[in-house]
Amino acid sequence: MAKIRDLKVDNLNKIRSCLTDGNIWTKNALAEKTSLSLATTTNMLQILLKRKEILYIGEARSTGGRKSKQYQLNQDYAHILCVLLHKKDNQEGLVIQRLDLCGHLLEEMSSYVTQMTPKLLIEILLHLKAKDDLLEYVALSIPGVCEDGKTDFTDLKTFHQLDLKALIEEKCHLHFLMENDVNTACLGFLNQHTHVQHLALIYQPQNDAVGCGLVVNRSLYRGYSHFAGELGFLPFNHDGLKGETLQRSPQLLLEKQIETLCCVFNPEYVVIYSEVFKDKQDFNLTSIPIKHQPKIDWIEDIDKLILIGLYQLALDHLKEEDI
């Protein structure tokens, strides 16, 4: 039974992937694009219609034969909140985007305070929910280690070791998803670079520990306890060496971290966002044979990637809903 259900979910997601472009599709066009039979396509469309995920638009103009039925994604089946929690310029705050299922931006806001708290976060979410009856999902990124909606340690002290999923779902009655911020940026990067298979995305903040998201075969690698990528805990980062090296030779520190990733993870691409360097740097990875050195690129706006990744995270969860 599980295999049958998995096959049905896969078939539904093939149809969904087409319809998420917001265009009008005929059944024949969907069958051709997805390589599904017309009978299977019809069954999948009936499921999505019953769930109100899609809309029946009408019949296409006849080209001599039977008129084709037309379908379109119901962009207002559910709305999504993407919430980016972070520290910025000695303040704590968030950036929020509210979107429909076609990715149309309905609202964007930001708020910064001396200290962000779970209570303040819930107040903001309740305010936004009161404005939008279709709001169902909250996808949130956090600078720290988290698993299954629970935080371990983060850069935001009031969010340490907190079951944020249970708290928000109880208080706000919204589906809640949470992911590490750099992991979420990886999802955003993959969304924009469909050829990338193996990736390490490094975030080098001005003062705090370096974070890194890891991707294997286009899937996030988190480790058994979701600790993978915490480069700030590498041995050469301890006992005050990190602060000294970051101030005196931040490039050397970054080179050591990239070389470590090459030996342990062997990524095809290393993408860097740095608050330390204003310009792109060239690296001398002397300990790594040239054959095994990754392609290195720099990004200028990690927040944009995080928000794209959060939206994708919510869409992926929506696809896994019970059918």
Side-chain angles (χ1 to χ4, degrees):
M1 291 297 292
K3 289 184 178 179
I4 294 174
R5 183 189 181 281
D6 290 345
L7 178 60
K8 185 180 288 187
V9 169
D10 287 344
N11 290 339
L12 280 172
N13 286 339
K14 289 178 181 179
I15 301 294
R16 285 170 170 143
S17 295
C18 294
L19 291 164
T20 49
D21 65 5
N23 293 326
I24 295 173
W25 287 76
T26 65
K27 181 171 64 176
N28 288 347
L30 287 168
E32 181 178 351
K33 182 70 174 180
T34 60
S35 299
L36 298 174
S37 68
L38 281 172
T40 299
T41 302
T42 299
N43 290 337
M44 296 304 103
L45 288 170
Q46 289 303 314
I47 292 172
L48 295 173
L49 280 169
K50 186 176 181 180
R51 287 167 56 88
K52 299 182 180 179
E53 282 191 49
I54 64 173
L55 302 172
Y56 170 62
I57 302 301
E59 294 181 336
R61 289 183 178 179
S62 175
T63 55
R66 181 181 296 179
K67 293 181 180 179
S68 299
K69 293 182 178 180
Q70 299 181 115
Y71 303 90
Q72 189 173 33
L73 180 71
N74 179 5
Q75 64 189 36
D76 293 321
Y77 171 70
H79 289 169
I80 296 168
L81 272 187
C82 298
V83 182
L84 187 163
L85 275 180
H86 63 172
K87 294 175 69 175
K88 184 176 181 181
D89 301 328
N90 297 319
Q91 287 191 306
E92 297 179 356
L94 48 75
V95 178
I96 293 180
Q97 289 184 345
R98 182 165 57 91
L99 306 105
D100 66 22
L101 294 187
C102 284
H104 299 138
L105 183 62
L106 306 176
E107 182 179 6
E108 186 169 27
M109 62 164 288
S110 61
S111 176
Y112 291 91
V113 292
T114 302
Q115 186 175 62
M116 177 60 65
T117 65
K119 180 181 178 181
L120 179 55
L121 173 63
I122 288 171
E123 288 176 0
I124 293 172
L125 295 181
L126 287 173
H127 171 71
L128 292 169
K129 184 185 177 185
K131 295 166 58 177
D132 187 347
D133 292 337
L134 299 173
L135 189 60
E136 288 194 23
Y137 290 89
V138 176
L140 179 142
S141 67
I142 194 162
V145 176
C146 60
E147 181 179 4
D148 297 330
K150 301 176 182 177
T151 62
D152 186 358
F153 57 86
T154 82
D155 294 343
L156 308 174
K157 292 183 179 179
T158 63
F159 288 84
H160 279 314
Q161 297 185 331
L162 179 67
D163 190 343
L164 198 55
K165 176 180 173 67
L167 185 63
I168 287 179
E169 291 189 346
E170 176 190 353
K171 299 292 186 182
C172 302
H173 302 291
L174 294 167
H175 298 292
F176 180 75
L177 308 164
M178 180 166 62
E179 183 57 84
N180 166 270
D181 54 354
V182 188
N183 282 350
T184 312
C186 282
L187 296 177
F189 189 86
L190 291 176
N191 180 272
Q192 296 190 326
H193 300 81
T194 55
H195 65 286
V196 174
Q197 296 291 322
H198 306 282
L199 167 72
L201 193 153
I202 298 174
Y203 172 32
Q204 184 185 46
Q206 187 72 46
N207 298 306
D208 296 320
V210 169
C212 180
L214 305 175
V215 171
V216 180
N217 293 325
R218 293 191 63 80
S219 295
L220 285 175
Y221 178 76
R222 301 176 177 89
Y224 85 93
S225 65
H226 288 228
F227 190 73
E230 295 296 329
L231 300 186
F233 289 85
L234 287 170
F236 52 78
N237 285 341
H238 278 292
D239 301 324
L241 291 177
K242 180 193 72 174
E244 181 180 345
T245 309
L246 184 61
Q247 297 301 319
R248 294 187 179 183
S249 184
Q251 181 165 337
L252 176 62
L253 178 61
L254 200 52
E255 285 176 355
K256 285 176 177 279
Q257 291 164 338
I258 294 173
E259 288 173 332
T260 301
L261 285 169
C262 290
C263 294
V264 176
F265 178 56
N266 188 212
E268 179 186 8
Y269 290 88
V270 170
V271 179
I272 302 165
Y273 175 76
S274 176
E275 295 177 353
V276 178
F277 298 109
K278 293 183 178 179
D279 301 310
K280 296 180 181 179
Q281 305 294 309
D282 293 323
F283 294 105
N284 185 20
L285 307 179
T286 54
S287 70
I288 307 299
I290 292 177
K291 177 182 177 181
H292 303 294
Q293 291 185 14
K295 302 177 184 68
I296 296 177
D297 200 0
W298 296 72
I299 54 177
E300 297 180 356
D301 187 353
I302 195 169
D303 288 358
K304 178 181 177 181
L305 289 181
I306 291 173
L307 290 166
I308 292 172
L310 286 171
Y311 181 68
Q312 191 61 52
L313 188 68
L315 286 184
D316 290 344
H317 183 79
L318 182 63
K319 292 176 182 178
E320 297 302 320
E321 279 189 342
D322 290 336
I323 56 175

